[in-house]
C-alpha cells in the first residue's frame, strides 16, 4: 500500500459562466473542510448567465510512496492546486477517495492526524503567516496539535534552523523579503514534523535568489526522507523531482521521470508547458542530425555530451 | 506615506517596559485611560506626562517613532482644538464677525488637545512595547474567566492577533492600489466632497477583493496547520507575573495617586 | 536619448533608524522606439525608479527628461506625466474595479479628460484588441469572472488605452504558466513594434530580457551596477553572479562548454545563436 493513494478522484464545482480557458480557475468555490461532496458554493446567478458544473479534477488516480519527490505541472487551471488540496483533506472530492498512510480523508475524526502528516506551503507567503512574530507563527501548527510548550520551543528552533532563519526569529514577518517569508512558512510546516510536505507553487512570487534558496531547502528536506510534492510552473524546478505528473483539464495526462517526459517534446508543448532550455537545445541539435543522447536535462549533462561528441570527432 | 503609520505597531527593543507581563501593561493602560479623564487640571497632566516620559525613556522606543504615530491623528487633534477654542463662552480675547475666542475656550482647547495627545501616546506605548502575540495572550488570560460563561476568549484573542498581523499587509496593499490607480490618472485630491468620495471607489473595491482573497488564503493555511478552534490548543509562550510587574504596578499607582490628588490643589484656579 | 535620467537620489524614511537609500545617483538614457530591460533584486531600487518615471515619487534630487519635458520639475502637471508614461504594476489584475471590462479600460482615458463617448468606445475597442482579446465578446463582462491571464490583459489594456509614449511593465509575466508567459511576451513585443513606443520592463527572467531588450540596466542596492546591450551585460557573467543574478540559460550553457573546449563563443543570447555555435564547434 502506497503512502498516499488517490483513487479516481473527481472534484466538481459550479461556476457562473463558461470559462474560456477550460476548467479550473475557480476551483476553490467554498469547498473546504466542512463542505460536502458536490455542494459547491453559491454561484447561482440570474439573467443570461448560465450555471455550469465544471470538473477541476476528473477521475484522478495517483500513488505516492514515502520519501518520493514528485512535481505536478500543468497550465493555470489544470487542477494541480485542487489535487494538492485534496491530499490533506482541505478539499473533499466529489467522488473517489484519498488516503494517507492508510487513513481516508473522509474520516473526519482522523483529519488532524492526516494534516500533521501532510503539511502544506502555499503560493503567497504573506497570506499564510498568522502571527506578527516569526517564531510565534512557526509555533502555530504545533500549538494546534496540543504539543507541550517545552517541546514546541524545541521544534520551533529546529525548524528555524532548517530554513536558515534562526537569527530572524523575533522579527515581524512584514519586515522580511518574500523569500524569507516563504522560508518562515516552510518552517511552520516543518514544525509539525510531517512526513510529507505539499508545496503549492512556493516560488511563483519570489525573485531568483529567493527561488533558489527555497528550492534548495525543498531538496534538502527530501534528502532527509520527507516526501515532497511540488507544484510549479518552472520546468527547471520540476526536473529536480524523481517523477513529474502532468495535468491537463483535470486529468493526469503524463506520469513520467523528467528524462522520459522531456524526451517527448510534442506532448509537453501540447500540455501548455515548455521544455527546459537544455532540452530545447538538445532537440534542435538532434533535428539537425547531431547524435545527442536522449534525456539531457541539466547544463552539465549537456556540456558533457557536447564535449564527448567533439572529442570523438577529433 | 501610509507606511509611516506607527499607531498600533510593535517596536522591538529590549527594555524593562517590554519585559513586563502583558496583563500588567493592559491593566495599567486601562487605569491610565481612566486617569486622563479623572485629571481635571494641567498640573495633573504634567504628572502624567512626566510619568509617560519616564516610561518612554525606559522603553528605548525612539520618541521620533512615537510622534510619527501622532501625525495620522493630527487632523482630529486640530479639529477638536479649533472646535473647543470657538465654542466656549467667557472672557473675550479676540473677536471677528461670528468668531470669538475666549480665555476659557483657549484653556479648554489646550486641555482637550493635551488629553487626546496623552491618551494616544500612552495607549500606543502599550502596543509599541508589547508583542501583538503577548498582547492578545494577555487579553486571552484576562478574559479567560469569562470563557466559563461562554465567551470564546481564545478565538477572540486569535482574531485580534490576526488583525494586528495583517495591518501592515493591508496598508501595503492599499498603498499599491492607490499608486496603481494614480498611474491611471486618478486624482484623489481635487473636487468637492462627493467627487472625492467617488474617487475612492477604485481603491475600495480592489482593497475589498484583496481582503477577501487574503482571508480565504489564510483560512486554508490555518486549516492546513490543523487549526480547529481553541479546544485542546497549547501555547508555546507561557506567561507569569514577575517581580518587575509588582514594582511597575506600585510606581504607576503612585503616579496615578499624585495625578488624582492634583484635583484638590487649587493653583490653576480660574472663574 | 529621448528619455534622460540624471543623477536620481532617493532615501526612504529619512532621519529614522530604518532609513534606506533606495536610489543612489542613478543616471541612464533610453533611445526613442527602443526596449529597456531592468534587472535587479527585490529592494534593489527598481520599483522606486519605475514610480519616479511615472511621477508617483519625486526624487530627493536629480532630473528625468522625457523629450523636452523635465517631469521632475515641481510644477510639471502630473496629468501630463500620466499621458506620457503608462505604468503597469506587478499583478495589475488586482487593480480592476469596474462592473464591466469596457468601463475599467476607459477609467484611465476618462481621468485624462476624454469625455466623448464615441471616442472612449474607440479607445476601449482598440486597447482591448491590442492585448489580444475579442472586444465584442468581453466588453460587457465583469472583469472578475475572467481567467487570471485574461484579467492581466485587461489591466494592461487599461494602461495602453491612455496611449502613453512610454510603457513601463513591472514583471508582467509573474505567476503565469509557461504558455501564457510566451503569449504575453509576444503581445508586449508586438505592441511596442506597432506603436513605436518606448518600452521599459522589469524582469527576473534573463531569457526574456535577452530576447526583448535593446538595452538593459542592472540595479544593485540603489545603484546602476551594469548598463549596456544584453550582449555586453551578459558577457560579464561573474559580475552578475556576484550580485546574485544570472545570465540567460543558453549563455550559461555556452560558458559551461567553453570551460572544456577552447575557442567557444560565450556571447550567445538566443537558442539559434547557440545552435550555430555548437554546430560550428562540432563541425570544426
Amino acid at each position: 500500500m502506497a503512502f498516499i493513494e488517490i483513487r479516481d478522484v473527481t472534484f466538481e464545482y459550479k461556476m457562473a459562466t463558461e470559462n474560456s480557458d477550460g476548467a479550473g480557475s475557480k476551483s476553490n468555490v467554498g469547498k473546504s473542510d466542512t463542505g460536502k461532496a458536490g455542494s459547491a458554493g453559491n454561484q447561482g446567478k440570474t439573467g443570461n448567465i448560465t450555471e455550469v458544473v465544471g470538473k477541476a479534477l476528473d477521475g484522478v488516480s495517483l500513488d505516492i510512496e514515502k520519501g518520493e519527490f514528485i512535481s505536478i505541472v500543468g497550465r493555470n487551471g489544470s487542477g494541480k492546486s485542487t489535487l494538492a488540496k485534496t491530499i490533506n483533506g482541505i478539499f473533499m472530492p466529489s467522488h473517489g477517495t484519498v488516503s494517507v498512510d492508510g487513513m481516508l480523508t473522509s474520516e473526519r475524526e482522523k483529519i488532524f492526524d492526516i494534516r500533521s502528516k501532510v503539511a502544506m506551503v502555499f503560493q503567497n507567503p504573506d497570506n499564510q503567516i498568522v502571527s506578527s512574530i516569526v517564531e510565534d507563527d512557526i509555533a502555530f501548527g504545533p500549538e494546534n496539535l496540543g504539543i507541550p510548550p517545552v517541546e514546541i520551543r524545541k521544534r520551533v528552533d529546529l525548524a528555524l534552523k532548517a530554513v536558515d532563519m534562526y537569527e530572524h526569529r523575533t522579527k515581524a514577518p512584514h519586515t522580511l523579503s518574500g523569500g524569507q517569508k516563504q522560508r518562515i512558512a516552510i518552517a511552520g510546516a516543518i514544525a509539525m514534523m510531517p512526513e510529507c510536505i505539499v508545496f503549492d507553487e512556493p516560488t511563483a512570487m519570489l525573485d531568483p535568489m529567493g527561488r533558489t534558496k527555497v528550492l534548495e531547502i525543498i531538496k534538502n528536506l527530501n534528502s532527509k526522507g520527507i516526501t515532497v510534492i511540488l507544484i510549479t510552473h518552472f520546468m527547471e524546478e520540476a526536473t529536480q523531482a524523481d517523477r513529474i505528473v502532468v495535468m491537463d483539464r483535470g486529468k493526469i495526462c503524463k506520469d513520467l521521470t523528467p528524462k522520459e517526459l522531456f524526451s517527448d517534446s510534442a506532448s509537453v508543448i501540447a500540455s501548455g508547458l515548455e521544455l527546459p532550455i537544455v532540452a530545447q537545445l538538445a532537440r534542435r541539435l538532434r533535428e539537425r542530425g547531431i547524435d545527442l543522447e536522449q534525456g539531457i536535462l541539466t547544463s552539465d549533462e549537456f556540456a558533457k555530451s557536447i564535449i564527448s561528441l567533439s572529442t570523438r570527432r577529433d | 506615506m501610509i507606511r509611516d503609520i506607527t499607531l498600533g505597531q510593535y517596536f522591538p527593543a529590549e527594555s524593562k517596559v517590554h519585559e513586563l507581563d502583558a496583563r500588567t501593561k493592559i491593566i495599567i493602560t486601562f487605569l491610565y485611560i481612566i486617569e486622563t479623564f479623572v485629571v481635571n487640571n494641567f498640573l495633573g497632566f504634567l504628572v502624567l506626562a512626566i510619568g509617560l516620559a519616564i516610561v518612554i525613556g525606559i522603553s528605548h522606543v525612539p520618541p521620533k517613532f512615537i510622534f510619527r504615530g501622532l501625525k495620522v491623528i493630527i487632523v482630529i487633534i486640530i479639529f477638536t482644538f479649533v472646535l473647543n477654542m470657538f465654542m466656549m463662552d467667557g472672557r473675550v480675547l479676540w473677536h471677528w464677525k461670528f468668531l470669538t475666542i475666549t480665555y476659557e475656550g483657549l484653556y479648554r482647547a489646550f486641555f482637550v488637545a493635551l488629553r487626546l495627545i496623552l491618551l494616544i501616546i500612552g495607549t500606543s506605548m502599550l502596543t509599541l512595547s508589547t508583542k501583538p502575540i503577548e498582547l492578545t495572550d494577555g487579553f486571552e488570560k484576562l478574559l479567560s474567566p469569562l470563557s466559563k460563561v461562554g465567551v470564546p476568549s481564545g478565538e477572540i484573542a486569535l482574531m485580534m492577533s490576526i488583525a494586528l498581523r495583517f495591518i501592515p499587509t493591508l496598508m501595503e496593499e492599499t498603498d499599491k492600489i492607490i499608486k496603481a490607480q494614480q498611474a491611471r490618472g486618478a486624482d484623489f485630491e481635487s473636487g468637492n466632497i462627493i467627487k472625492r468620495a467617488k474617487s475612492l471607489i477604485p481603491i475600495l473595491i480592489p482593497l475589498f477583493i484583496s481582503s477577501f482573497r487574503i482571508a480565504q488564503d489564510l483560512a486554508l493555511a490555518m486549516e492546513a496547520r490543523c487549526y480547529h478552534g481553541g479546544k485542546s490548543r497549547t501555547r508555546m509562550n507561557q506567561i507569569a507575573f514577575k517581580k518587575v510587574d509588582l514594582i511597575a504596578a506600585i510606581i504607576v499607582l503612585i503616579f496615578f495617586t499624585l495625578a488624582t490628588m492634583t484635583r484638590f490643589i487649587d493653583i490653576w484656579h480660574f472663574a | 536619448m529621448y528619455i534622460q535620467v540624471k543623477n536620481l537620489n532617493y532615501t526612504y524614511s529619512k532621519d529614522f533608524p530604518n532609513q534606506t537609500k533606495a536610489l543612489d545617483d542613478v543616471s541612464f538614457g533610453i533611445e526613442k522606439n527602443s526596449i529597456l530591460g531592468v534587472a535587479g533584486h527585490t529592494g534593489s531600487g527598481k520599483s522606486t525608479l519605475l514610480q519616479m518615471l511615472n511621477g508617483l515619487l519625486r526624487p530627493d534630487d536629480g532630473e528625468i527628461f522625457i523629450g523636452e519635458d523635465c517631469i521632475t520639475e515641481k510644477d510639471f502637471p502630473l496629468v501630463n506625466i500620466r499621458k506620457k508614461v503608462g505604468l503597469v504594476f506587478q499583478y495589475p489584475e488586482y487593480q480592476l474595479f469596474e462592473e464591466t471590462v469596457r468601463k475599467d479600460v476607459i477609467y484611465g482615458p476618462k481621468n485624462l479628460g476624454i469625455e466623448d463617448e464615441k471616442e472612449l468606445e474607440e479607445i476601449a475597442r482598440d486597447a482591448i484588441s491590442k492585448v489580444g482579446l475579442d472586444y465584442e465578446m468581453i466588453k460587457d463582462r465583469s472583469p472578475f469572472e475572467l481567467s487570471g491571464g485574461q484579467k492581466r490583459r485587461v489591466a494592461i489594456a487599461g494602461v495602453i488605452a491612455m496611449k502613453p509614449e512610454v510603457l513601463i511593465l513591472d514583471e508582467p509575466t509573474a505567476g503565469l504558466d509557461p504558455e501564457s508567459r510566451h503569449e504575453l511576451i509576444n503581445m508586449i513585443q508586438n505592441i511596442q513594434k506597432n506603436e513605436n513606443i518606448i518600452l521599459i520592463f522589469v524582469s527576473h527572467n534573463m531569457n526574456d530580457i535577452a530576447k526583448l531588450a535593446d538595452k538593459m540596466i542592472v540595479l544593485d542596492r540603489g545603484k546602476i551596477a551594469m548598463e549596456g546591450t544584453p550582449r555586453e551585460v551578459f558577457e560579464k557573467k561573474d559580475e552578475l553572479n556576484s550580485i546574485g543574478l544570472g545570465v540567460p540559460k543558453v549563455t550559461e550553457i555556452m560558458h559551461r562548454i567553453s570551460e572544456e573546449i577552447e575557442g567557444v563563443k560565450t556571447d550567445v543570447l538566443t537558442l539559434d545563436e547557440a545552435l550555430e555555435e555548437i554546430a560550428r564547434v562540432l563541425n570544426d
Side-chain angles (χ1 to χ4, degrees), chain C residues 194-222:
Chain C
N194 299 335
E195 309 293 305
N196 291 325
I197 53 174
I198 290 179
L199 178 72
I200 301 175
F201 79 108
V202 171
S203 180
H204 290 319
N205 189 326
M206 296 303 174
N207 303 326
D208 288 347
I209 292 186
K211 182 178 168 196
L212 289 185
D214 300 306
K215 180 182 169 178
M216 70 183 285
I217 55 174
V218 178
L219 282 168
D220 183 36
R221 279 167 289 181

Side-chain angles (χ1 to χ4, degrees), chain C residues 117-133:
Chain C
E117 273 304 319
K118 261 207 175 129
E119 195 183 345
L120 287 170
E121 178 82 18
E122 255 336 287
I123 286 174
R125 181 187 301 278
D126 182 53
I128 287 174
S129 58
K130 271 179 194 152
V131 296
L133 295 171

Side-chain angles (χ1 to χ4, degrees), chain A residues 208-226:
Chain A
M209 255 200 307
R211 201 176 286 159
T212 314
K213 184 80 192 170
V214 164
L215 198 68
E216 195 183 293
I217 290 168
I218 292 175
K219 281 197 282 189
N220 197 11
L221 286 171
N222 180 246
S223 72
K224 286 183 182 142
I226 291 179

